Structures are given as C-alpha cells and as structure tokens.
C-alpha cells in the first residue's frame, strides 16, 4: 500500500477512536444521590459526559491520551442549579430609574451576569421571567460557544393577569403598557403558553398572586383563577414543558398546587393545608429566603420604592418561618433564589440561610442538585456526579457538608468537561 494511503487510514482510525477524555481527581466528593462523602474520587468525563466514577484505589481504565485535572485538598460537588433567576439587568438600578435605560440594556448586562453565575459554580439555571427574550438570546450565545455561561432553561415572559404582579404597572394611564405575558381567562392563557413556546420558552411561569417588587399588588392576594392556572399547567404539560408559579399568598399557593403546577416559587405564606397538599401532589417548593437580606440593606440606595421595601419587610420574616415549617413537614424543596434582585454570582449565599432556618447542609445542597434536576425533568443530564450526566462539576476547599458557606467561594468550575474557571492559589 502506498505510504500516503496508509497514513490516511491511520489518521482516520485515530479520529474515529479519538474521544476527548478528562480525568478529575480530588480529596473528596459529595455524592448527593447517596447523601454521603466519598474519599479520593476519580471522575472520568468523555466528550462532555461523565463516563466513569471511581476511587483512587479502584481506578477505571483510562486511555493514554486522557487529560488530567488534579485537585488536591478540594472537594468535588456537582455543578449547582438555581431554579429561579432573572439574568438581565442589575439590582443596582431600582424603581423608576429603570425608565432611563433602553430596552436592550437588560440583555447587554445579561452577558456579564451569566459569566458571574457560571463562575460562582452554577452550571445550570432556570430563567423565570425575562423581557425581550433576553434569556433565549443568552442561551443561544452560550450554547453556540460565543460567551461563557450556564445551561439555561428559559421561560421568556411570565404569564399573568392585567394589573397583576407580572404586568407593567409603572406608567401614567395615558401611557399604560400591557406586559407581553398578560393573559386573562383560560383561552387567552392557553394561547399565551403556545405563543411563548413558539418564541423560545422551554418552561412556563405563571404569576398566581401579587408580589413584592410590583406596584399596586398584594403578595397575599390570588391573581389568577384556578381555571386559568389549570389551563396553563395542562397546556404546558401537553407540550412537554414544566410549569412554575410565582405564589406568595396561601390561597394562590393551594390553587396552583391543585392545578398541577410543578414548582411553587416564593411560597411565603404557605399554610399547613398547603404543605400537606404539596406533599400529596409531589409539588416542589422554592423558597427564595436570601434576598430579604439584600433588599433591606441595599434596596433603598438602589432606588427600590418604599412601597416595595415595606412589602419585603412584611413578607421576609413570615417566609422564613414558613420555610422552616415546610422543611420540618417533609415537603420537597428546590433551590430558587430570584437572583437579579441581588447581584448575580452571589446566589450561593442562600445556602447558609436555608441551613439557618432548618435544613441540613446536605438537604440544601440536594435542593440545588438532584432535586433541581428532577424538578427540571433533566435527571439524565444534570444534578449529580454520575455516569451519563454532563461533566458539570465544581470544587470547594474543605467540607461543604460541615460548613455550607464554603459554596460561596468556588475556585474551580468545569462545564461539560471543559474547565471554565480555575482560580486555585498557585
Ligand atoms: N420577585 C419576587 C416578588 O417581587 C421577590 C420576592 C422577594 N422577597 C422575598 N421575601 N422572597 O414578589
């Protein structure tokens, strides 16, 4: 055979066999599925997905050209998942000050926001409400390799009632604007679900009650009827999507659970009946228990209106008490922060608050990993260091199950087998 032909065949065989393999070793690994810590883990990632998980004394077979990443002294943790973020904009501009900025300002700030989120160890996020399809644009830019950022599950606009929490209530009547997610009555809600999906939504968000940061709404009051919520849930599910409900008030929470909504966000005033219903239905609860701190200390200087700060004072304390009751009552929890109300990249500050109000560090970490993956319907892809899932892992110094606040400083982040941050001390 001619030399050139032989070389060509050899090159072909090499390409076919050439999988990209990276082997990660560390001192410890948190196995969130088994709920324990493993010593001297070895994690093999092949072409972006985890292909083997072992320990140093029982090394999996490795190809000779495998890349090595040794993380002595560190603990491996699955890439974190925040189930409730708003990726555009900044918390530094509150209240009417946002009227000074052009429409695309939010999307532009989304670029550093997604980078900060990823570098904080959040390799997957769910965007629950964003203007101008900024979350779809960011997802496209990230998935296309143009900018760094987490995997994004996008809701685009939140669906809600006229004048409700997810409408735009900040203008004088002659300039009143209806937010694009507004829909009144079950048929309009059905149409809105279909329209959002057509334009890039992968998950649906509904605003079942009033809220803290909207003008002229009462967090305790229900704003969508049971029939509207049920229509949204049925339509989303028929189209293969999950659905999340913003709900502070007890009535709205119960209606949303009965309607078959998958995750309840905020959950502030949930009552005993609501906790019981959530357990019966298997509904996930996402209490955003950190942002009270930020809003009460920084809100006023950022321009947040007194109306909203006053609501935060009322909601925050009760929400934390009810979080404790829901944890003690054995409800299922996801990690939902509402990042965007506080600066992106500081999402992990919520872990310590969850532990302060009744969770073990393992429960808090499971909320942001295995539970979140289940609630997304993505347990084959994310949420654990396990064979078949994406090579999304982070490493922290020390033992996060002893001190959960260690998750606030993440020196090492890998997404899909690529090292996206390595800030270890040399
Ligand atoms: N987006 C939510 C709202 O405006 C934020 C609530 C924040 N406060 C709280 N205590 N969780 O209603």
């Amino acid at each position: 055979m001619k030399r050139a032909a032989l070389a060509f065949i050899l090159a072909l065989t090499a390409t076919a066999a050439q999988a990209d393999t990276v082997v990660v070793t560390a001192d410890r690994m948190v196995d969130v599925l088994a709920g324990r810590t493993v010593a001297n883990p070895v994690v093999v990632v092949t072409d972006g997905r985890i292909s083997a998980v072992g320990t140093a004394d029982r090394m999996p077979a490795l190809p000779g050209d495998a890349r090595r990443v040794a993380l002595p002294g560190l603990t491996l943790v699955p890439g974190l998942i925040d189930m409730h973020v708003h990726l555009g904009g900044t918390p530094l501009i509150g209240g009417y000050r946002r009227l000074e900025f052009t429409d695309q300002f939010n999307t532009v700030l989304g670029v550093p926001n997604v980078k900060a989120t990823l570098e904080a160890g959040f390799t997957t996020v769910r965007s629950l409400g964003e203007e101008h399809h900024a979350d779809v644009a960011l997802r496209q830019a990230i998935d296309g390799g143009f900018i760094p950022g987490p995997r994004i599950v996008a809701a685009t606009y939140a669906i809600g009632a006229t004048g409700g929490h997810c409408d735009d209530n900040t203008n004088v009547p002659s300039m009143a604007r209806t937010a694009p997610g507004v829909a009144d009555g079950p048929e309009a809600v059905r149409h809105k679900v279909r329209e959002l999906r057509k334009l890039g939504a992968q998950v649906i968000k509904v605003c079942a009650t009033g809220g803290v940061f909207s003008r002229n709404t009462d967090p305790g009051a229900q704003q969508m009827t049971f029939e509207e919520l049920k229509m949204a849930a049925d339509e989303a599910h028929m189209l293969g999507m999950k659905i999340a409900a913003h709900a502070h008030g007890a009535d709205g929470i119960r209606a949303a659970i009965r309607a078959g909504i998958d995750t309840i966000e905020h959950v502030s005033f949930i009552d005993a009946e609501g906790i019981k219903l959530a357990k019966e239905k298997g509904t996930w609860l996402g209490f955003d228990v950190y942002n009270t701190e930020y809003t009460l200390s920084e809100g006023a200087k950022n321009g947040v209106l007194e109306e909203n700060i006053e609501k935060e004072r009322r909601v925050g304390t009760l929400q934390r008490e009810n979080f404790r009751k829901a944890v003690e009552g054995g409800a299922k929890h996801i990690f939902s922060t509402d990042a965007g109300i506080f600066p992106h990249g500081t999402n992990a500050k919520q872990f310590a608050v969850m532990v302060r109000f009744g969770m073990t560090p393992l429960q808090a970490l499971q909320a942001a990993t295995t539970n979140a993956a289940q609630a997304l319907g993505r347990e084959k892809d994310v949420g654990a260091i396990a064979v078949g899932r994406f090579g999304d892992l982070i490493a922290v110094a020390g033992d996060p199950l002893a001190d959960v606040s260690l998750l606030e400083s993440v020196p090492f982040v890998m997404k899909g087998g690529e090292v996206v941050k390595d800030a270890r001390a040399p």
Side-chain angles (χ1 to χ4, degrees):
M1 199 186 296
K2 289 235 173 68
R3 286 254 297 280
L6 182 62
F8 179 65
I9 289 167
L10 286 176
L12 265 187
T13 344
T15 326
Q18 220 173 43
D20 176 54
T21 304
V22 51
V23 184
V24 185
T25 53
D27 280 11
R28 290 163 303 272
M29 173 181 84
V30 183
D31 179 345
V32 292
L33 297 174
R36 66 194 172 99
T37 301
V38 176
N40 304 312
V42 180
V43 181
V44 185
V45 182
T46 307
D47 292 337
R49 296 243 179 198
I50 296 170
S51 54
V53 182
T55 50
D57 53 342
R58 283 180 295 121
M59 281 291 272
L62 298 172
D65 61 352
R67 290 183 286 133
R68 311 259 168 174
V69 176
L71 302 169
L74 300 191
T75 305
L76 292 179
V77 173
L80 304 171
I81 305 171
D82 191 334
M83 294 291 278
H84 188 150
V85 300
H86 300 280
L87 295 169
T90 167
L92 301 179
I93 298 169
Y96 293 110
R97 286 185 53 206
R98 69 176 189 80
L99 299 177
E100 295 166 26
F101 296 84
T102 197
D103 288 342
Q104 296 306 329
F105 180 71
N106 265 16
T107 312
V108 171
L109 290 196
V111 176
N113 289 344
V114 291
K115 182 167 189 277
T117 303
L118 178 64
E119 291 183 350
F122 289 82
T123 49
T124 302
V125 296
R126 187 168 69 159
S127 158
L128 288 188
E130 197 61 62
E131 294 266 328
H132 309 296
H133 302 90
D135 46 0
V136 178
L138 291 164
R139 181 180 83 216
Q140 290 173 332
I142 293 165
D143 293 352
F146 296 98
I147 62 169
R151 304 177 195 284
I152 295 176
V153 178
T156 74
Y157 292 99
I159 299 177
T162 295
H165 176 67
C166 293
D167 196 0
D168 185 347
N169 309 320
T170 48
N171 286 324
V172 294
S174 61
M175 291 197 277
R177 164 186 182 256
T178 299
V182 165
D184 297 306
E187 273 312 312
V189 168
R190 188 209 299 274
H191 178 255
K192 192 56 74 179
V193 170
R194 293 177 179 182
E195 182 188 297
L196 296 183
R197 196 199 64 85
K198 167 177 161 173
L199 300 181
Q202 303 156 302
V203 60
I204 294 299
K205 179 189 183 179
V206 290
C207 298
T209 71
V212 172
F213 277 82
S214 48
R215 276 213 53 239
N216 191 28
T217 76
D218 173 3
Q222 188 171 336
Q223 294 189 326
M224 288 178 74
T225 64
F226 173 76
E227 288 71 26
E228 289 171 326
L229 295 167
K230 174 100 172 38
M231 175 63 89
D234 289 349
E235 195 65 21
H237 290 153
M238 185 184 85
L239 297 172
M241 295 184 290
K242 301 282 186 192
I243 176 164
H246 157 109
H248 289 283
D251 296 339
I253 292 169
R254 278 189 263 99
I257 296 171
R258 287 204 175 95
I261 292 195
D262 302 294
T263 76
I264 310 296
E265 309 292 319
H266 310 301
V267 223
S268 310
F269 305 147
I270 193 169
D271 55 12
E273 175 69 11
I275 294 175
K276 187 164 155 274
L277 266 179
K279 285 171 65 182
E280 276 165 26
K281 284 276 225 172
T283 313
W284 298 96
L285 305 181
F287 287 83
D288 53 331
V289 287
Y290 164 66
N291 54 37
T292 296
E293 239 105 335
Y294 184 83
T295 301
L296 294 187
S297 72
E298 309 297 314
K301 84 165 98 84
N302 291 343
V304 176
L305 305 179
E306 177 51 30
E307 169 186 351
N308 305 111
I309 293 176
E310 187 274 322
K311 287 198 265 187
E312 183 56 64
R313 283 189 210 105
R314 277 195 284 129
V315 169
T317 314
L318 274 171
Q319 185 186 32
R320 290 162 175 215
E321 285 170 14
N322 290 328
F323 172 73
R324 189 189 288 285
K325 286 183 192 155
V327 171
E328 284 166 1
K332 301 198 301 178
H333 295 262
I334 50 171
F335 185 88
S336 284
T337 66
D338 217 351
I341 285 186
F342 59 84
H344 292 279
T346 62
N347 317 46
K349 288 193 174 185
Q350 184 171 291
F351 286 112
V353 185
M354 291 166 93
V355 169
R356 182 143 53 93
F357 288 90
M359 275 191 172
T360 63
L362 177 66
Q363 284 175 317
L365 184 56
Q366 284 171 329
T369 52
T370 169
N371 294 8
Q374 285 178 49
L376 289 172
R378 296 281 300 274
E379 56 269 69
K380 288 200 171 74
D381 289 336
V382 294
I385 301 175
V387 170
R389 304 201 199 202
F390 287 119
D392 295 354
L393 22 116
I394 66 173
V396 295
D399 179 4
L401 299 189
D403 176 5
V404 83
S405 71
L406 290 171
L407 295 168
E408 291 169 27
S409 28
V410 176
F412 178 88
V413 181
M414 172 177 276
K415 180 187 162 203
E418 295 301 325
V419 178
V420 293
K421 178 184 183 185
D422 189 352
R424 288 175 288 160

